[in-house]
Amino acid sequence: MAKSRTNHPDWSIFVPVLPEKGPRPQALYAEIRRLIEQGRLPPGSKLPTTRDLAARFSLARGAAVVAYEMLVADGFAEARVGAGTYVARVVPSIGGLVVRERKRPPEPLGPLPGALGCSTADETTIRTFRTLLNRHLTQPSARHYHYGQPAGGEDLRIEIAAYLRSARGVRCEADQVIVTSGTQQALDLVIRSLLQPGDPVWIEDPCYPMARAAFSAAGMRLAAVPVDGEGLDVAAGERLSPDARAVYVTPSHQFPLGVTLTMSRRMALIDWARRNGAFVIEDDYDSEFRFSGPPLTSLQGIDGDGRVIYIGTFSKTLMPGFRIGYLVVPRALVGRVLEVRQLTDRFPSTLFESALAEFLRDGHFASHVKRARRRVRVARDAVVEVLRGAGIAVDAPEQGLHMVAEVPTGGSDVEHVAAAADAGFGLRALSTMYHGDETRQGLVIGFSGFPAEVLASAAGRWAAGLARR
């Protein structure tokens, strides 16, 4: 019974005074209605089951059923088939006013097709990981019963370093790798270790919103450096903030525009960092998903002065739920970063580390990436075909898990995002990702985490809605 109430409002606020005899359903109805009208049971919140409610207040279940039926009939509640009874999204109020449900993400339903950040794990991967995790649970190593190393387990760091050297051209050894819970923690560790509030920092414009938020929350002075067809404009950055202490960049596949930082810009950026004693924070968030041509070498791999800090994650390749990423730092900075790590969450999950180390070492990860790359390429092509068929200009990207489409006529990108959500298609507005004076309209569309036919169907519903406007 306790489990069924965990998602309900706090019913300690509800102490009904019910008559010993007479119309108890009416009294129950009146008490629940009072809480709704006072806003103490907000619109859209779930009500307990009639069985739970009857047990809690020593009522016959029939009385609770009648009370709920009255609330539904009067517009204060709504019954959702298979889901239970909820406070109505729009409820009557005194004076004819209405209280409307606050807009919130549809958490129980999950992200919509087209949303960004969805993983591409498959049944083979899940089955393999289940086997590995079960092995470490049934035959646990002694390391799982002790506090681990702030950098993460050596077995996983060895595998990550080997993978990065071969796949991304990163110049590192295991002692430079720090296992994190993802990109956001890696950014936080870098900011806490190397920067001070008020330090000037370059960010790309447009920029990954969560990265921008991390620097802003830490009190950095942000310079929005424009991104063009060659990537971050280093010359513009020097004009905007020549004394910047760091730059955040996504060189292999700029988020969200998708362009690649050219070699001349890469060399200029590293040269600027060397001359100014600044650091380049390279976020290589989806480099595994390249669909044609040779893999791009990381920016860190061409840095010979220890100015580049490299961030990567398994959230895009495996799943965000694993909460495992990595940070590669120059040896001179390792001690400072580990001091901060030890004072925050101390160390990563040793259980998941052990399973992932085996997953990498035994070749499962490489096989998984090949399967995932094939799936998302098919999905990319399916979405592009639907959008182009509807007259929407979009390019099929050669890398990554998202694309940028032009905004159809008749509305801003923000308005089109809202309309797409109504059609069950998850988009992001490009204009909201700009920080400087110049902005561009566009629609950012993800094509991972859902079967190709599901993505194509969602894109088709949105396109059909455009045609009816």
Side-chain angles (χ1 to χ4, degrees):
M1 185 183 302
K3 181 178 180 181
S4 66
R5 292 195 295 265
T6 56
N7 293 325
H8 299 156
D10 180 9
W11 283 88
S12 64
I13 63 176
F14 179 31
V15 185
V17 179
L18 303 178
E20 291 295 330
K21 297 181 180 180
R24 293 164 68 85
Q26 285 82 349
L28 183 61
Y29 158 84
E31 287 293 300
I32 298 176
R33 173 175 169 170
R34 176 180 62 82
L35 294 177
I36 294 172
E37 290 179 329
Q38 292 176 349
R40 300 170 76 183
L41 295 179
S45 60
K46 188 173 184 180
L47 298 174
T49 65
T50 54
R51 181 178 288 106
D52 284 353
L53 192 63
R56 174 179 281 273
F57 299 114
S58 301
L59 297 168
R61 187 183 177 194
V65 171
V66 172
Y68 275 11
E69 289 175 345
M70 294 169 64
L71 289 165
V72 171
D74 289 350
F76 289 93
E78 58 186 39
R80 303 180 189 176
V81 177
T85 306
Y86 292 75
V87 177
R89 293 183 177 88
V90 179
V91 299
S93 186
I94 298 173
L97 300 176
V98 295
V99 180
R100 298 185 183 275
E101 180 184 18
R102 293 189 297 272
K103 295 290 185 181
R104 68 188 69 173
E107 293 181 2
L109 299 178
L112 296 174
L116 304 177
C118 299
S119 63
T120 58
D122 58 18
E123 285 302 318
T124 301
T125 298
I126 296 300
R127 183 168 58 252
T128 302
F129 248 104
R130 183 166 56 242
T131 300
L132 294 173
L133 286 171
N134 283 342
R135 182 188 307 160
H136 286 283
L137 282 171
T138 56
Q139 301 173 351
S141 165
R143 64 182 292 232
H144 302 320
Y145 295 93
H146 302 278
Y147 285 89
Q149 304 173 54
E154 185 179 24
D155 54 348
L156 179 56
R157 290 187 285 114
I158 289 173
E159 297 304 324
I160 290 175
Y163 164 70
L164 293 177
R165 287 194 300 268
S166 63
R168 303 296 302 121
V170 174
R171 297 196 287 186
C172 70
E173 299 297 336
D175 64 324
Q176 296 174 258
V177 176
I178 298 172
V179 180
T180 70
S181 63
T183 296
Q184 211 64 20
Q185 186 188 37
L187 279 173
D188 183 63
L189 288 173
V190 172
I191 292 170
R192 290 172 182 261
S193 303
L194 306 180
L195 302 173
Q196 298 292 327
D199 280 351
V201 173
W202 294 0
I203 61 170
E204 298 171 313
D205 198 30
C207 184
Y208 174 49
M210 291 297 288
R212 185 178 76 187
F215 288 110
S216 180
M220 304 296 108
R221 289 191 291 117
L222 301 182
V225 181
V227 173
D228 58 23
E230 296 184 66
L232 182 85
D233 188 338
V234 180
E238 293 198 71
R239 291 193 298 271
L240 288 168
S241 181
D243 60 340
R245 293 283 300 121
V247 53
Y248 170 81
V249 63
T250 51
S252 294
H253 187 233
Q254 200 275 334
F255 187 92
L257 296 180
V259 298
T260 299
L261 190 66
T262 62
M263 183 55 70
S264 60
R265 291 271 180 93
R266 290 174 183 235
M267 300 307 297
L269 186 60
I270 291 174
D271 180 64
W272 166 81
R274 178 185 54 77
R275 286 186 284 106
N276 291 273
F279 292 101
V280 178
I281 304 168
E282 177 182 12
D283 184 351
D284 204 25
Y285 65 98
D286 65 0
S287 60
E288 290 85 0
F289 295 95
R290 185 162 178 80
F291 307 116
S292 66
L296 301 173
T297 300
S298 67
L299 191 62
Q300 194 269 3
I302 60 176
D303 168 34
D305 295 295
R307 309 313 306 176
V308 178
I309 298 167
Y310 182 91
I311 293 174
T313 180
F314 290 104
S315 292
K316 301 294 187 296
T317 48
L318 292 172
M319 63 176 69
F322 282 153
R323 305 309 303 138
I324 296 183
Y326 43 88
L327 181 62
V328 179
V329 297
R331 282 195 172 88
L333 304 178
V334 171
R336 292 161 63 181
V337 177
L338 290 182
E339 285 179 8
V340 175
R341 175 61 181 278
Q342 194 159 18
L343 293 173
T344 52
D345 70 338
R346 296 193 67 166
F347 66 98
S349 164
T350 58
L351 180 61
F352 276 103
E353 278 188 331
S354 297
L356 182 55
E358 285 190 56
F359 193 77
L360 287 164
R361 184 174 61 247
D362 295 344
H364 300 299
F365 181 71
S367 299
H368 164 78
V369 169
K370 289 179 182 178
R371 293 193 303 271
R373 191 183 294 127
R374 286 194 296 267
R375 283 198 306 276
V376 297
R377 181 170 186 164
V378 170
R380 177 203 65 177
D381 293 345
V383 173
V384 168
E385 181 180 4
V386 170
L387 296 181
R388 287 178 177 171
I392 299 170
V394 60
D395 292 326
E398 292 302 329
Q399 179 171 316
L401 301 173
H402 75 272
M403 65 185 78
V404 179
E406 296 297 325
V407 176
T409 57
S412 68
D413 56 2
V414 174
E415 292 170 331
H416 279 289
V417 166
D422 290 338
F425 192 36
L427 308 179
R428 290 284 295 275
L430 177 62
S431 64
T432 64
M433 301 183 195
Y434 281 85
H435 186 65
D437 296 330
E438 299 293 328
T439 62
R440 171 188 158 189
Q441 294 278 304
L443 298 170
V444 186
I445 306 169
F447 50 86
S448 66
F450 293 88
E453 60 272 19
V454 173
L455 284 159
S457 177
R461 289 194 301 271
W462 173 55
L466 291 174
R468 292 193 295 268
R469 292 181 62 169

